[in-house]
Each structure stands twice: as structure tokens, then as C-alpha cells.
Amino acid sequence: MLRKNSKKVFFFKNIGVVGRIKHPSVLKTFKNLCIWLNRKNYHVMIEDDLTDHLKHDKGIIFSDIHEIGKQADLIVVIGGDGSMLNAMRKFSKYEQKIIGINHGKLGFLTDLNPNHVLNQLSKILNGSFFQEKRFLLDVRVDKKKKKMFNNQAINEISFNSCKIKNMIDFEVFIDRNLAFFQRSNGLIISTPTGSTAHSLSIGGPILTPNLNAILLVPIFPHSICFRPLLIHGNSRIKLKIKSQSNHQEINCDGQIVHSVHYGDEILIKKSNYTINLLHPKYFDYFKNLKNKLGWGKF
């Protein structure tokens, strides 16, 4: 029992709140959460992109992503998996702890239910959680040894034709060794986190998040001999573009797109940064899969 003069122990004191406000229900969650956190004496920092939506609310401090990344002890993301992926990329270099409130459809990455979020988040803020590290992929595009593009992905990096009917030719090197030449609509290079995303829809396997592995899944290959390939997570991957087409691109998590051309080299490796994803104590990965994918239902 705590003494009357004892102070509350804060596992997290500075709380960053980010996301996208696309619907009134999302705005309601933002406001209710901010009011509740202020009453609990937490220091609340809101992404400054949300100023127009929340500028009349008292007790809200607006900060840019850099300041939230440096100062926040916990990042709360309100939205769907897309909002979560966007936040993970932004905050990865700060290695902050992140948890999501689901206002999307599937919600593979956003655990908290908006209808019960205050009760669920209260337990997490009091220390009832476990942490899971997820790795990212770094991607770079070189043209004649000159860097043209670099970014990160949490789910996957997709190299694909912009036109569904167009085949593209490319070579795939793994740790400097030529692994295979492929003619297809492209290739998805996925983390275990992304194995339940686009790679799953084209026949890739599901990987548990704790695996140190990278998944390569061909997109509509010309030859049926090509199958998904699982390689060590520390492997370095290089794609050499052999097609003359002007309709080729790489895509990071379906959110960041860059055009690539004949002779370009795409270099992919595991990032030095990791994501510290928090889950409620009751979280069960396989139960989550059953609920999201409808396993065992007829």
C-alpha cells in the first residue's frame, strides 16, 4: 500500500500522440485521450500537423516530429495500420516505444480498441505490457554508383511494374552472389512484420515477428519454378534492373514511391534501427491471426 505522501510512479511521463484524422470518430478519440491524459498529469505532445483539428482544446502542446521523437517516452498512434507504418518510419531513429489505437480495418499493428482505450491504456501506463522489437529494411537506389534515393520500410519493399500487363527483367544478388534472374511483374522483399501484408496476398508464407529473416516473393513470375524464398535477416540484397521500360518503381510500405530505370541498382538490407512495439499483457499473436484472417471459421 502506498503512503499518503508517496508520489505516483510514472512508467511514461511524456506521451506523444500522432495519427491521421479522417473521420469524426478519430477526432473524438484524439480529444478524449488528450483530456484524459491531461487529467492524469501526463505531459501530452501532439503532432503539429493536427493543429487545425485540435487548436481550441486547452492543455494541448503541439510539437514537430523531431521534438516528439526526442522527448516522448511513449508514442500513441491513432488510426489504422497505414498510420502505424507511417509513424514507425518517422520515429524509428529515436527508438521510441510505440502502441496503436485501431481506427482501421484489420489492425495487425494497432492493438487497442477505441471503445475501451482508456481502460486498456491505463493498464499499459501502469506497467502492464510487454515489448516486442521489430526490424526495418533500408533501401537505396544507385545510378552509376551515385545514390539517387534512400528510405526505410517496416512491412515490405516492392519492386514492380506500374502496368499489370508488363513483365520486367532483373537480377537478384544475395550477399554478392547472383541468386537468380527473373522475368515477372516484380518482387516483394518483406520483413516478418510485412508477411501478413502484400506478400501474403500473392502466396507468401506468414512469419512470426521474432524471426531474423527476410522474405522474397515473386509477383506473377513468368516461370512457375519461382517460389517464395526465405533468407537470413542479415543478408544484403541487390537488384539489377535489366528492363528498358519507363514504368518501373520501388514502393516502401505502399506509401513512398520512387521510379527506377534500366541500369539502376536497388540495395536492400536490415536497418540498424528497430521498432519497440508495445502490446497489452493479454496480447496473443496467434489469436490475433485467427481473428484477423478468420482461421478456423467455416
Side-chain angles (χ1 to χ4, degrees), residues 60-233:
I60 291 180
I61 298 172
F62 292 97
S63 302
D64 61 29
I65 291 296
H66 179 63
E67 286 302 312
I68 294 175
K70 288 198 304 181
Q71 297 183 28
D73 305 310
L74 174 67
I75 308 293
V76 179
V77 182
I78 303 176
D81 284 336
S83 297
M84 195 70 166
L85 291 169
N86 186 45
M88 284 177 164
R89 274 198 313 275
K90 287 179 179 178
F91 292 109
S92 62
K93 65 181 179 181
Y94 303 102
E95 299 190 348
Q96 296 291 9
K97 295 176 175 62
I98 297 179
I99 194 163
I101 301 172
N102 185 30
H103 268 282
K105 294 178 180 178
L106 283 176
F108 272 108
L109 297 173
T110 49
D111 292 343
L112 303 185
N113 186 323
N115 298 320
H116 310 287
V117 65
L118 299 185
N119 180 53
Q120 293 173 340
L121 190 57
S122 179
K123 293 176 181 178
I124 287 165
L125 294 175
N126 287 320
S128 181
F129 63 86
F130 72 91
Q131 181 174 308
E132 185 177 51
K133 284 190 177 292
R134 305 282 183 98
F135 72 81
L136 304 87
L137 293 174
D138 288 335
V139 58
R140 191 179 88 213
V141 177
D142 286 355
K143 181 182 292 292
K144 297 180 179 178
K145 305 300 181 181
K146 182 180 179 181
K147 183 170 70 174
M148 306 300 294
F149 171 83
N150 69 285
N151 219 294
Q152 291 180 316
I154 291 89
N155 268 353
E156 76 268 318
I157 295 158
S158 174
F159 165 57
N160 56 274
S161 170
C162 304
K163 295 186 176 182
I164 191 68
K165 65 179 181 179
N166 286 5
M167 288 282 185
I168 50 180
D169 298 328
F170 56 97
E171 294 175 332
V172 179
F173 293 77
I174 299 173
D175 295 327
R176 298 186 179 181
N177 299 312
L178 176 60
F180 54 89
F181 171 84
Q182 187 170 114
R183 169 169 288 181
S184 67
N185 280 107
L187 184 72
I188 289 178
I189 300 96
S190 171
T191 65
T193 299
S195 68
T196 53
H198 293 104
S199 72
L200 182 64
S201 69
I202 55 172
I206 295 175
L207 310 183
T208 54
N210 58 344
L211 286 177
N212 182 24
I214 297 172
L215 179 62
L216 283 67
V217 184
I219 304 172
F220 305 138
H222 185 262
S223 171
I224 62 172
C225 69
F226 285 107
R227 290 291 183 266
L229 176 64
L230 192 64
I231 63 175
H232 196 279

Side-chain angles (χ1 to χ4, degrees), residues 276-295:
N276 298 310
L277 190 61
L278 296 194
H279 297 289
K281 282 283 189 182
Y282 58 79
F283 177 82
D284 181 326
Y285 177 73
F286 293 102
K287 184 178 180 181
N288 195 42
L289 284 182
K290 287 186 284 187
N291 290 337
K292 304 299 184 183
L293 300 178
W295 285 5

Side-chain angles (χ1 to χ4, degrees), residues 233-284:
N234 295 339
S235 299
R236 292 174 179 255
I237 303 162
K238 178 167 67 176
L239 309 184
K240 286 189 175 181
I241 314 305
K242 297 298 182 180
S243 294
Q244 298 284 351
S245 170
N246 291 321
H247 304 288
Q248 304 165 123
E249 65 184 22
I250 58 168
N251 191 311
C252 300
D253 293 332
Q255 297 179 340
I256 298 170
V257 178
H258 178 77
S259 295
V260 291
H261 306 279
Y262 175 79
D264 288 358
E265 295 185 351
I266 303 170
L267 308 170
I268 299 166
K269 66 180 180 67
K270 184 166 70 172
S271 175
N272 292 327
Y273 299 119
T274 57
I275 299 296
N276 298 310
L277 190 61
L278 296 194
H279 297 289
K281 282 283 189 182
Y282 58 79
F283 177 82
D284 181 326

